[in-house]
């Protein structure tokens, strides 16, 4: 029955997500889906996607980013009550979308996703540190990392609450 609802919604062009898209995700309240929710416009060229080693590279970077963040005592509290399966999936979609990898972003807007989390500048900076380590381990060139971080930087205004 769930598959029928998802297919019917897709065929009708419904912008809402009534259920999880991964079998291990927790159900969420429906919300309007849009690539605009990704918080940044995608790069025009495919060079960034290729520099990140495609989907396999993005998957490794996101997995390391999340693992480091969950283990970091400075920010781990933020992640304790979150569905990490969904977080990993939506981050991979977001990165893929921004890097022009041909993905759509199905997550919430940055403001909605981070609402009431109490994210501070120090938390945001710790997350960026983990992303930089993950990109270094994936051997992403420094100038490419900086281009990507420049796309993500404006999200600080949408995620930091205090």
């Amino acid at each position: 029955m769930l598959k029928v609802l998802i297919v019917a919604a897709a065929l009708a062009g419904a912008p809402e997500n009534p259920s999880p898209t991964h079998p291990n995700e927790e159900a969420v309240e429906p919300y309007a889906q849009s690539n605009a929710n990704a918080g940044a416009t995608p790069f025009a060229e495919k060079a960034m996607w290729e520099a990140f080693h495609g989907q396999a590279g993005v998957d490794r970077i996101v997995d390391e980013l999340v693992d480091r963040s969950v283990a970091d005592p400075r920010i781990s509290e933020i992640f304790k009550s979150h569905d990490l399966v969904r977080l990993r999936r939506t981050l991979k979609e977001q990165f893929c979308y921004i890097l022009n990898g041909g993905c759509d972003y199905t997550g919430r807007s940055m403001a909605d996703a981070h609402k009431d989390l109490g994210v501070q500048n120090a938390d945001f900076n710790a997350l960026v540190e983990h992303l930089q380590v993950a990109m270094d381990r994936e051997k992403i060139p420094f100038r490419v990392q900086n281009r990507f971080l420049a796309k993500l930087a404006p999200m600080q205004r949408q995620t930091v609450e205090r």
Side-chain angles (χ1 to χ4, degrees), residues 97-116:
Y97 172 74
I98 293 170
L99 293 167
N100 195 11
C103 301
D104 285 319
Y105 176 68
T106 65
R108 298 181 189 279
S109 71
M110 295 302 97
D112 288 345
H114 297 88
K115 185 180 179 189
D116 299 327

Side-chain angles (χ1 to χ4, degrees), residues 110-124:
M110 295 302 97
D112 288 345
H114 297 88
K115 185 180 179 189
D116 299 327
L117 291 180
V119 175
Q120 300 177 34
N121 281 322
D123 304 325
F124 187 89

